[in-house]
Amino acid sequence: MERFETESLALMPGQKIQARVLSHHPWGVIVEIVGHENAGLSASIDMIQHYSRSVSSHDELLALFPPIGSQIDAVIERIQRWHPPVSVRLSIRPADLESLTSRCDFCGERLTLSPGGDALVLDSRSNDGPGSHTIVSHRHCLAERIRPENAGERARAWEIGKMC
């Protein structure tokens, strides 16, 4: 058994992907992420969570479900790698596809996960065994939590992922 599942590390919150709709369920749809079909991922879109406040009937909600077999644009909302299978929650809301926002796991304030946003995605793992946990934070929230005498790591928190 591998200590860490590694295939899903290519995926992160805020990333746009293509998904193929496999099945409909009362709460939403099960999909597979194109390019990761054999990765052992569980991927879904919670249509009730995303649209229940903006529709007036169940039939109107069902009309928003993408057809089975269709390939759709989506954005990764969150990934849970705590234990197999890796669980990926996606969004197809137009506003999220444009710019996905969430809350910082340190301060609780809104942050932008989409490219060009102010978020960092950290995957924490233990030396003791499998599994990992994804933490999303503002750059400044991470940098401020690094000891001042560790100036190099603080500086890297401010610069990681920025284009030169």
Side-chain angles (χ1 to χ4, degrees), residues 26-56:
W27 51 267
V29 297
I30 299 290
V31 299
E32 66 182 359
I33 298 175
V34 174
H36 296 272
E37 294 87 351
N38 299 317
L41 304 173
S42 167
S44 63
I45 304 165
D46 187 334
M47 298 295 287
I48 289 177
Q49 176 191 3
H50 291 166
Y51 294 106
S52 64
R53 293 184 183 146
S54 63
V55 297
S56 57

Side-chain angles (χ1 to χ4, degrees), residues 84-148:
V86 171
S87 174
V88 182
R89 181 59 58 93
L90 304 174
S91 175
I92 58 171
R93 288 185 291 201
D96 291 345
L97 289 168
E98 184 68 29
S99 182
L100 181 68
T101 63
S102 186
R103 297 221 176 259
C104 175
D105 288 326
F106 290 122
C107 73
E109 297 295 321
R110 304 261 346 136
L111 53 67
T112 301
L113 283 158
S114 298
D118 55 345
L120 291 178
V121 177
L122 307 119
D123 285 308
S124 60
R125 299 180 290 199
S126 168
N127 285 331
D128 295 335
S132 68
H133 176 66
T134 301
I135 299 166
V136 177
S137 80
H138 292 104
R139 289 177 184 282
H140 67 87
C141 286
L142 177 62
E144 290 168 2
R145 282 164 175 80
I146 297 172
R147 294 183 333 242

Side-chain angles (χ1 to χ4, degrees), residues 18 56 60 74 78 84 94 96 130:
Q18 291 281 302
S56 57
E60 192 177 344
R78 72 174 182 261
D96 291 345

